Each structure stands twice: as structure tokens, then as C-alpha cells.
Amino acid sequence: MPAYATNMRLKFPILALTLELLTIVLFAVFVVYDDGKPSSDPHDPHDPHAGNHTQEGAPMDLYPMFQDVHVMIFIGFGFLMTFLKRYGFSSVGVNLLLAAFGLQWGLLMQGFWHMEDGKIKINIFKIINADFSTATVLISFGAVLGKTSPVQLLIMTILEITIFSINEHLVATVLHANDVGASMIIHAFGAYFGLAVARVLYRPGLKNGHEKEGSVYHSDMFAMIGTVFLWMFWPSFNSAIADPGFTQLTAVINTYLSLAACVLSAYAVSSLVEHKGKLDMVHIQNATLAGGVAVGTCADMNIGPFGAMLIGLVAGIISTLGFKFLTPILASSLGIQDTCGVHNLHGMPGILGGVAGIVAVAMGKKDGGNASMQAAALASSLGFALVGGLVTGFIMKIPLWGQPPDQNCYDDSLYWEVPDEEEESGESFAHADHSKNKAEV
Amino acid sequence: MPAYATNMRLKFPILALTLELLTIVLFAVFVVYDDGKPSSDPHDPHDPHAGNHTQEGAPMDLYPMFQDVHVMIFIGFGFLMTFLKRYGFSSVGVNLLLAAFGLQWGLLMQGFWHMEDGKIKINIFKIINADFSTATVLISFGAVLGKTSPVQLLIMTILEITIFSINEHLVATVLHANDVGASMIIHAFGAYFGLAVARVLYRPGLKNGHEKEGSVYHSDMFAMIGTVFLWMFWPSFNSAIADPGFTQLTAVINTYLSLAACVLSAYAVSSLVEHKGKLDMVHIQNATLAGGVAVGTCADMNIGPFGAMLIGLVAGIISTLGFKFLTPILASSLGIQDTCGVHNLHGMPGILGGVAGIVAVAMGKKDGGNASMQAAALASSLGFALVGGLVTGFIMKIPLWGQPPDQNCYDDSLYWEVPDEEEESGESFAHADHSKNKAEV
Amino acid sequence: MPAYATNMRLKFPILALTLELLTIVLFAVFVVYDDGKPSSDPHDPHDPHAGNHTQEGAPMDLYPMFQDVHVMIFIGFGFLMTFLKRYGFSSVGVNLLLAAFGLQWGLLMQGFWHMEDGKIKINIFKIINADFSTATVLISFGAVLGKTSPVQLLIMTILEITIFSINEHLVATVLHANDVGASMIIHAFGAYFGLAVARVLYRPGLKNGHEKEGSVYHSDMFAMIGTVFLWMFWPSFNSAIADPGFTQLTAVINTYLSLAACVLSAYAVSSLVEHKGKLDMVHIQNATLAGGVAVGTCADMNIGPFGAMLIGLVAGIISTLGFKFLTPILASSLGIQDTCGVHNLHGMPGILGGVAGIVAVAMGKKDGGNASMQAAALASSLGFALVGGLVTGFIMKIPLWGQPPDQNCYDDSLYWEVPDEEEESGESFAHADHSKNKAEV
């Protein structure tokens, strides 16, 4: 690929502005505020949430939950990916870009399934779901982090949220499956979608690693900001759209306890498998969160506090083992280079969550649940993810979108103005001037 | 100016303690808890908020909103300014100092306009407004960041909040203008106040830049913490004091969407105007927030979701263009050295917000609104800001307050004990000891 | 102590997994969701909170308060301790480990005093208290930071939370003392417990300092993240379990004002006692929070806004003076090496808070309060802390738990895989590769 192809000067601004203008036109035609008044149509009888938080409860009741989820999307996912030594600008910056566009696109794609009088009515419940829809993209972003251009990623955002919205509708409205914390429809979906994209974009040139694919001390600290905010607010993620009252309380408690148990098992296994019993930051940053993923589907079910803790315990173990043993095999044998190890944080724990949901429903832990429908929901989510991810990957591979060459992977300086001082070794902190980095591809 | 003048040992402690003791005395005389009981006086009929959240609703209803605003003031503004390579202690530390004093002063200054039975009654609504009053100071702080002493800044805090409170009273109670998200009375006011101060404190010696006036890789990452927290919680800023219910929901949705659209336009224009289409951290850290500023005045108006997005789109464009083209001209031609570019983030978007408010009210988007009064509010805010800023600037210029000499600008070591290791180039991270930096002015 | 003793490979995983499995078994036997239904037993007439937030109010009413406290525990305490140049992984990582285990243990230990029908019923109120119980451990952790192994700290967690729960029960249910913000039962208790442990673990070899016991510029910035989040959310800490309504509002306002006043006095005194009037980051990071500690006991009392501010003012002064003058004396004369200075942030301000509570109750500022019981609560808290801490210290001193040798104190690389680049001086940022540090003890 010729070097100039990575110059974003025209293609990125044109794509971004065109998408935004198109989105604004669609909003002008279709989107209104939810004023709380019933529509002239009867509510879609298949929509479990129709009118849920608009006609009952005050319009702002869910707002604190929304803000917790918002922090997870923008600080949590954004900073979790800043562990790479020279890719922090892209991690937190492109995370912001994709999520900001994705939430608008998600409002439209999810909204089209639930129109009233031909309009999408926005309320807090809808913007929580819009934030959720971006989470799929941010998970997939983790699989291809450092190896894709902003243009490629905007394309992935459009396609992934569109496909996500179809699967979500199928799972919730057609299958009537339970997935309150979205182990299946967000975490497993986002992970396998991203892994499929990563497979298509496989780079043999990175088989032996890359000098920039690693952390430095301070970048690992920044990543912990993301980890801890995700960890703290995960109870909000899993309970935000639960039925109000004691069901929501159950979702909070299950998630709180699953995450706490998961920390212990992740630390224990990290120490067990590492050199001289040391802890590995990669495990701590990620596997401590697997309990939140895995308890998602049955967060609002009556699985008992100890049931939630068992799920978290197992999730922490398989996630850490995945980082240690599976990720290298995926890269070497299957051609899947998973930068952030989303398979270990979202993929396997997401499937664990889906399976736990099947078992819990089969054991009668959720009124009205149907284990077959749960299984169908898991299969649907994986199927849409893999097929959707492969198709999306091939579209992203078209050599027009400024994909970085191997030697410039994991390096902000390809798409960002980067301050000089850390670019040229030997130059001290104190004497660096503030002129912009002129090194180019 | 003689070097010893920057020694804060006596003047800073004496000023800080004197101010705090004076404030405590004023609190002892005038301030009580709001116990929710009606006062013996009828409420001020001109105060749109009188008793708003005290007699209706529970006393803690607004508390989550308050905490979001609190995070914006202390983390948001504080970390946004940490982008400078050697001025992080001052950015986040002096931000804390000014806001902690400012909120006390703001409670008094705003409270004096709304006394009941001779007392200022504190509730959550009042402490939100107190936090708001400090925002004006923190915006102005951005204009003079790195070039002022803590003593000068405490003086600015007193004067600016006092003047702000007069203008706010005029706008809200006399003119009955709408400015729910404070585009005019906080953002435009704070920006032009700070720019007027910066004009008076103009330093020809910094005309050709300063070696410390720039970022390093990690300082840009710290600044992104500020950016993202401001971005996430801006819907709370713009809706915190909106009328409860659907009006508040409208303010949330408009702000959420304006910010999302603004991200796309800020990224697009940054790439368009930068070298080889790269993104510039200065734009991303700041211009992505302009949509929150610009939608402030009409956040609670019925402008439609797409209307909010259009405002955000335009704000992101003018803000980015301002950083690229206008800031250098202000410095070279008008003698206004605006360290953080507050003119681009708060100044122009604040005026845009005021103008959008005039238009929206003229179009009937706000019941009871009056376009002339909106215009008068904008003019009043700019007038108080410019005159107040000039007067304040001249007071700050009195050579008693320890203003730093040019060569020590943008450098924490003038007012802070700074660890050694990054002070002396060539000394490695690993071998730095923990003795304090002895280098003095 | 032989070097291999610090190898955690077996003892840490076995301890962590055993504890977690034991905890899960206890949860399976004793813990259920709170379903809001009254138990068959009458509520414990001595428990002031029995059923408080379960039968009155909606089950999620306290959730935003809980999340604020949660952020203080995991971000606040975690990042506050990241100031050391090479101990950030341990600070934030071990903080997460201890708090995640501690909250489970705390639910059991606190729950055993308040069982209904033989079960511990979890609700938001209970998980707030569980988070609180971990705060004692995290405070004590600060006293021994850098000088203890994860195994030692897990042992401390079990013992300290157990002892805390006994004292808490005594203070609240037997003595009926007031301590809404826990100046006595958390802050003073945690500090003196930790100091007693530190006394037992005294290291003469560190009498003259340690090259790694100090900050670097960026580590001080990370610590400020902890400081500011603690500072902002402290009103939630002090009011979370206050009686709903105006009492809770009073606790918020008193804490908000005490912290604001404390900032001014901490800054003033820091400048007054430091070289050439400079500010010291250690003071700013810690003493600015002393106002939150000191106002804790009387946060919900009618002490008046100015009363709260006076408490904050005094707390900021004694805390800063403590860092400057007392900490060195404790280390040199009493053999108490207090890494984070918890005596200054939690110890003395905690006692100040207890004393202020005695005085306020004696002055009739709290209905039903009894000054003698307040004094007894303070004495009990200090007594349990000192005796409990000494016993715990001796158990931690048993040479089986992998305590680090002096030369490896304050150094993450003993228990963590640490990226290479900052380990070997002279190696530049840009050229560091991502292989793991092989240096071992």
C-alpha cells in the first residue's frame, strides 16, 4: 500500500461531515422528543419496554443510570485501551469519535423498530440504549486497535450498529429472550464481530510482534482508570433497563457480587500462571471485568447472591487463562490478532453469560423465560456477529480507507500531531520544545 | 520585577486565611440551612427559581445533578488545563483552590439577591448555582493560565464572581431572559472577562512563544480526562436548573445530541486544516465541547433534536477554525495571549449560543420568551465581562501580587515543590531521588 | 528473610481462592436479596437503620449515593496512593483487590449483627455499609504502603473488617452514638489500626529513607485524580446513611462547606511552612480532604454552616502541620513509618471529628444525642483500633507471608510484571520494547 494512502486530509473530513449531515437530515424527519403522551397507535405488543419509562415514572428517573453508562462508554472503554505506549490519543480520541457518531446512528437504527406515529421519540431509556449500541463497536475496536484507520472504523461503526440493531430486535422482540445485561447481544456479539473483522484484516507482518505493541508504566496506569470506572459502574450497565424496583435491585446486587468474586479469581490465576507468581497488568486490567460480562444475561434473575459469585469466579478464571494461553494460539494458528484480547474479556465471558442464562431459565429462575429461546438468542448473536463481521471486514479491507502499513501500527503519529519530546530518544523531557512532530509516513 | 516578588510565603497565606475567616464570619451572620419552611416574606416575585426545589420536590432530588456539575468543575476544568508539560500541579491544584473559595463566595454573592428573612438559605439548588459561579473564574483562568500567581487569581475570583452575580441577577430577574445552560452568563462572560484580563496583562516577552508552553504525550492524556468528563456531564450542566420534568428532559437530549454532532465536525475540521490531515489534540480536547456551550441558552427550548445537532455542528466548526486561525491573530495583532484558547471554546460558542437563543425565542420556541430581552442579556453579559475584566486586569497588574517573570511562566516549580527527576535533563527516571527541587527564581 | 519468600506463586493464589470459595459458601448459607418484605421477627429495636431503606422508600433510592461512595473507594483511595514513583500498580491494583474482597467480607461481618429469619438481606443500604467497611482497610493500607505483601494485606483485610464490625455494632447499637460520616469508626479507627500495624512492622533499615519512596511529576498527577474524586464525593460519604430528607441535606451542606474551607487553610499553611512559600503536593493531595473527615461525626447535626466551615478550617491546619512536623517525629521517635501520612489525613482529623461531635451533642445540636456516649464511642474506636492493630500486626509479621525485604520496598516489580522501559535508566521511551522485566529479587 502506498504511503500517501494514510493521509486522511480529504477522505476523513468528507466522510465524517457527510455522515453527520445525513444523520441530521434523518433526525429532522424522524426524531422528536418524547413528551410522555401516548401515541395514537397502540404500543407494539411485542416490545417489552414500550412506554416503560415514559408514561410510568418521571421522565428523568433513569438519568443517574444513564450517566453511569455514559461514563463506562467514554471513560471506561476509552481509557481501558490506552495501555499501549504510543496509542493513547487514538484510544481515547477515536473512542470518543466512534461513540459520538454511534449513539446518533444507534438512536436511528434502534428507533426504526419502535416508531410511534412515524416518529422516534427520544427519552432517557432510548439514549441508554443508544449508548449500549456503541458498546458493540468499542468492543470490536479493541480487537483491531492499532491496525485500522479512523475511516475504516467509521465504516465499521455504521455497519456494526445496523447489524446489532437487527439482532437485538430479533432477540428481544421475536424470540422474547432475556438478556438484561447484554452478555449475548452486546458482549459476545461485539467480540466475535471484532474477531471476524480482525481475521479478515490479518497481518502476517505482525506475526512476530511490533516494537510499539506494548505498554509503558504510565500507559498501564491510564488504562487502570478505564478498568476501575468500568468495574464500578457495571452494576448500572446490567440494571439500567431492568424492570424498576426489586428486579433492578437484584441486577445491581448480582453484578456487584459477581465482579467482586471475579477480582479474586483473576488475581489468583494471574499470579498462578505468571513468572514467579507475579501479577500481570493485562490480566488485572481486563479479567477483573469478566464477572460483569458473564453475569449480564441472568443479572435480573433469581440466581441467588452466591450464584452470581460463582459466575464471577469462573469468569475471572477463564478470562485470565484465555489471555495467557488462548490469545497466542488465536494469533499463531487462526490468524486472529486480537490487540486488547476482547475474546477473553467479552467473547468467552459473553458466551458463559449466555449459557448461564439458558441454565438459569431452565431452572425456573426467571418468570416466563424459555430456555430454548435463550439458546436461540445466543446462536443468533454469534451468527450475526460472525457473518456481519466477515462482511464488514471485507468492506474495511478495500484499499481506499487509509489502513496503516505494518510499521506504523500502534502509533498515534500516523493520524495525530504528536508532541516531539517522546518521539526522538535522547531528547530530555525538560528541553523538549512544543513544536509539532514533523515525522511522516 | 524583582525575582523575590514571586515568593508567596507571606502574602498568599495571609490573603487565603483572611478571606476564609471573613467568609466564615459572613456565613455566621447570613447563612442557614434551607429547612423547607416558607419564609415570612412572600417570595420575590421576580425570582423564577424562588422556592423551586425547596417546597416542591424532596430536598435531595437534584443531588445527582449537583454531583455531575461538581465533577465538571473540579475534574473537568481542572484536568482540561493539565495539557501543559510542566504546569499540571497548578492546573488541577489552583483550579481546586479557586473553585473551593469561589463556591463560598458565590453562595454569598448570589445569595444576597435572594434573602429570606434576612438569611441566605442553602439547598442543593443554591450549591449548584455556587458551583456555576466558579465556572466563570475557571474559564477566565484558562485565558491567563501559566502567567499569573495564586494571589492574583484569588483576587480575580473575588471580583469576577461579584460581577458575575450582578449580571446574572440582571439577566434572570430584571430582563427575564432565558439562559438555562448559561451560554451567555457563564461561557461568554467568563471568556471575555478572561480575555480582557489577558489583554491588560499582555506580555511582549512571550510573543515568540515559550519553551514550556506546550504539551508532552502524557500531559495531553491527562487533559483528555478533563475533556471527556466535561463532555459526558454537560447534559447535567445545561439541565440542572431547568424546570423539572419534560423541560429538563429536553435540555438533556438537546445537549447530548449537540455534543455528539460537535464531535464529528470538530474532528473533520481538525483533519481538514492540519498538516497531512492529522488530528490535533488541542482541537480534540476543546472544540468537541463547543456544542455543549453553544446549545446552552436554548437547551430547554423546543428547537427539535436536529436543531440541537445543527448548533453543535456549527459550534465544532467555528471552534476548531478559531484555534487554527484566530488565536494566533489575537495574540499577534490584539495582544491577547489566550493560553487555553477560551475564546474558541467558550467565547465564540457562547455568543453563538446567545444568538441561537435570540433566534429560537423569536421563532416562538420558548413560551413567554422575548427576543429583545435575550439580545439585551447577551449585550449585558459581554459588557459586564469586558468592563469587569479590564478593571480586574488593572488591579491584578499592581506589582504586589507575585506575578511570575516571563521566563518562569508555564512552570509549576515557581509556586510548587516539584520532584527532581524531570527538572534536570539527563537524569533518568529510575535514579531520581525524592528530595525536593531546590532550584529557585 | 530469604529472597524466595516473596514469590507469591502458591501462597497468594491459594489464599485468595480459598477465601473466595469460603465466602461463597457463607453467602450460599446466609445471604439473600432483600425483597422488601418484613421478616417474621420484629426488627431489632436497637438497630437504628433496621428496615430503614427497605420498607420505606423505593429499593433504588440510595443507588446514586452508593455509586459516589463506590467511586471514592476504588478510584479515590486507589489513585490517592499512586503518588509513589514506582508503586502505582500496587496502589490502584491492590486497592481493588482488598476492597473487592473486603466488601464481601464486610457484608458478612456487618450482616451477622442484623440477621432476619437467620438470613442477611442485601440491599443498597447494606452495600454502602460494605463499601464503608473496606475504607478502614484502605486507610490502614496507606500506613503500610510499599512495605507489605498482598498476602499480608489480605490477612489484614479479614481481621480489620471483623474487628471494625464489632466496634461499629458497639458504637451504633449499644452506645447509640452518632457518627454519620464515620470520623470515629472509620477514619480514626482505620488510621490508628494501620499505625499500630506499622509500629509492629517497623523497619529500621528504612530509617534514612529509600530511593523509591518519593514521587515523580506524573505520579503526583495520578494521585490528584484520587484526591479530587474523594473531595467531590465526600458529601455523599457523610450523608449516604443519614436520615432521608432535610437531615441528609444538612450532612451534604456541612461536608461541602467544611471541605471548601479546608482547602483554603491547607493551601495557606502549606505555603507558610514550605521553602520560599511554595505549595507541597503531599499537603494538597491529603490535607485538603481533612475537612471531610473532621466534619463526619457532626455532619448531620445542626452545627450551622459556619460551624462546619470552622471544623474544616482547623482540620486543614492540623493536617498540614502534621505532615510537616509530626510525621518525621513519628518515624524517628516512635518507630511508626506512615507511608501516606494517614495519621494526618484520617487520624488527627478523625479524633477532631469525634471531639467536635462530643461538643456538638453537649450543646444540644443533635436530638437525642448523649455526649458521654459520644466520648465512649471515640474511646472504643481508638481502643479497638490500637489493640486490634497490634494483634494484627504481629500476625502479619509471621515470616510466611512474603513480606518484601527493605531494598524492594515501594517497588511494583516485586509483585508485578513491569514493562521494561523505565526500569533501566538510559533507555529511552521511544526505544523500549514490550518484553517483560526479568529482574527478580
Side-chain angles (χ1 to χ4, degrees), chain A residues 108-124:
Chain A
L108 292 172
M109 292 301 112
Q110 297 180 310
F112 285 139
W113 296 104
H114 304 290
M115 306 231 285
E116 298 177 51
D117 301 330
K119 295 291 181 188
I120 298 166
K121 293 191 168 186
I122 312 190
N123 52 33
I124 303 296

Side-chain angles (χ1 to χ4, degrees), chain B residues 106-188:
Chain B
L107 275 170
L108 292 171
M109 292 300 113
Q110 297 180 311
F112 285 139
W113 297 103
H114 306 289
M115 306 231 286
E116 298 176 51
D117 300 331
K119 296 290 182 189
I120 297 166
K121 294 189 167 188
I122 313 189
N123 52 33
I124 303 295
F125 186 78
K126 291 264 176 66
I127 63 177
I128 291 174
N129 275 298
D131 269 27
F132 280 168
S133 78
T134 71
T136 61
V137 177
L138 304 178
I139 292 165
S140 301
F141 181 28
V144 297
L145 189 75
K147 299 168 296 192
T148 39
S149 75
V151 170
Q152 287 181 297
L153 292 166
L154 277 177
I155 294 168
M156 185 174 84
T157 302
I158 302 168
L159 297 174
E160 182 164 2
I161 288 181
T162 307
I163 298 166
F164 159 78
S165 301
I166 297 168
N167 180 58
E168 181 194 37
H169 181 71
L170 192 68
V171 165
T173 313
V174 178
L175 300 177
H176 298 297
N178 293 285
D179 198 15
V180 73
S183 304
M184 300 183 287
I185 65 174
I186 292 178
H187 295 289

Side-chain angles (χ1 to χ4, degrees), chain C residues 173-187:
Chain C
T173 313
V174 178
L175 299 177
H176 298 296
N178 293 286
D179 197 15
V180 72
S183 303
M184 301 182 288
I185 65 173
I186 292 179
H187 294 289

Side-chain angles (χ1 to χ4, degrees), chain B residues 6-308:
Chain B
T6 61
N7 187 328
M8 296 279 104
R9 186 150 201 174
L10 286 183
K11 60 185 81 148
F12 174 73
I14 290 172
L15 176 64
L17 286 178
T18 305
L19 283 178
E20 186 57 44
L21 288 169
L22 170 68
T23 303
I24 292 177
V25 170
L26 291 171
F27 267 69
V29 177
F30 290 111
V31 180
V32 297
Y33 309 116
D34 186 345
D35 56 5
K37 291 178 194 139
S39 70
S40 56
D41 302 332
H43 283 298
D44 179 350
H46 297 300
D47 178 1
H49 300 302
N52 218 8
H53 294 281
T54 57
Q55 286 146 8
E56 309 161 40
M60 295 290 288
D61 278 357
L62 281 175
Y63 187 69
M65 282 282 181
F66 159 70
Q67 278 295 1
D68 291 353
V69 172
H70 219 38
V71 172
M72 294 178 72
I73 297 294
F74 290 90
I75 287 284
F77 283 105
F79 277 88
L80 184 62
M81 294 188 280
T82 61
F83 71 100
L84 290 170
K85 66 181 75 160
R86 300 292 295 166
Y87 210 64
F89 291 7
S90 298
S91 296
V92 71
V94 175
N95 187 86
L96 173 60
L97 173 70
L98 301 185
F101 176 67
L103 63 87
Q104 299 174 66
W105 196 249
L107 275 170
L108 292 171
M109 292 300 113
Q110 297 180 311
F112 285 139
W113 297 103
H114 306 289
M115 306 231 286
E116 298 176 51
D117 300 331
K119 296 290 182 189
I120 297 166
K121 294 189 167 188
I122 313 189
N123 52 33
I124 303 295
F125 186 78
K126 291 264 176 66
I127 63 177
I128 291 174
N129 275 298
D131 269 27
F132 280 168
S133 78
T134 71
T136 61
V137 177
L138 304 178
I139 292 165
S140 301
F141 181 28
V144 297
L145 189 75
K147 299 168 296 192
T148 39
S149 75
V151 170
Q152 287 181 297
L153 292 166
L154 277 177
I155 294 168
M156 185 174 84
T157 302
I158 302 168
L159 297 174
E160 182 164 2
I161 288 181
T162 307
I163 298 166
F164 159 78
S165 301
I166 297 168
N167 180 58
E168 181 194 37
H169 181 71
L170 192 68
V171 165
T173 313
V174 178
L175 300 177
H176 298 297
N178 293 285
D179 198 15
V180 73
S183 304
M184 300 183 287
I185 65 174
I186 292 178
H187 295 289
F189 176 89
Y192 289 98
F193 192 103
L195 294 168
V197 171
R199 180 65 193 83
V200 176
L201 301 182
Y202 175 61
R203 289 170 182 264
L206 299 184
K207 211 160 44 180
N208 299 314
H210 187 290
E211 59 153 344
K212 296 253 167 72
E213 192 189 8
S215 65
V216 292
Y217 195 75
H218 285 115
S219 67
D220 271 326
M221 292 299 298
F222 280 114
M224 283 302 284
I225 297 174
T227 297
V228 178
F229 272 103
L230 287 170
W231 195 91
M232 294 186 300
F233 289 152
W234 215 294
S236 300
F237 193 96
N238 282 357
S239 71
I241 60 169
D243 292 338
F246 287 104
T247 305
Q248 198 167 33
L249 178 67
T250 299
V252 166
I253 291 172
N254 282 338
T255 310
Y256 175 83
L257 291 173
S258 175
L259 284 162
C262 177
V263 168
L264 275 283
S265 62
Y267 274 72
V269 176
S270 181
S271 170
L272 199 63
V273 300
E274 278 301 317
H275 185 65
K276 302 217 177 180
K278 295 189 179 188
L279 298 164
D280 188 318
M281 259 291 162
V282 172
H283 306 160
I284 302 314
Q285 285 160 2
N286 292 280
T288 53
L289 301 167
V293 173
V295 83
T297 300
C298 39
D300 66 345
M301 300 183 191
N302 187 25
I303 56 174
F306 79 98

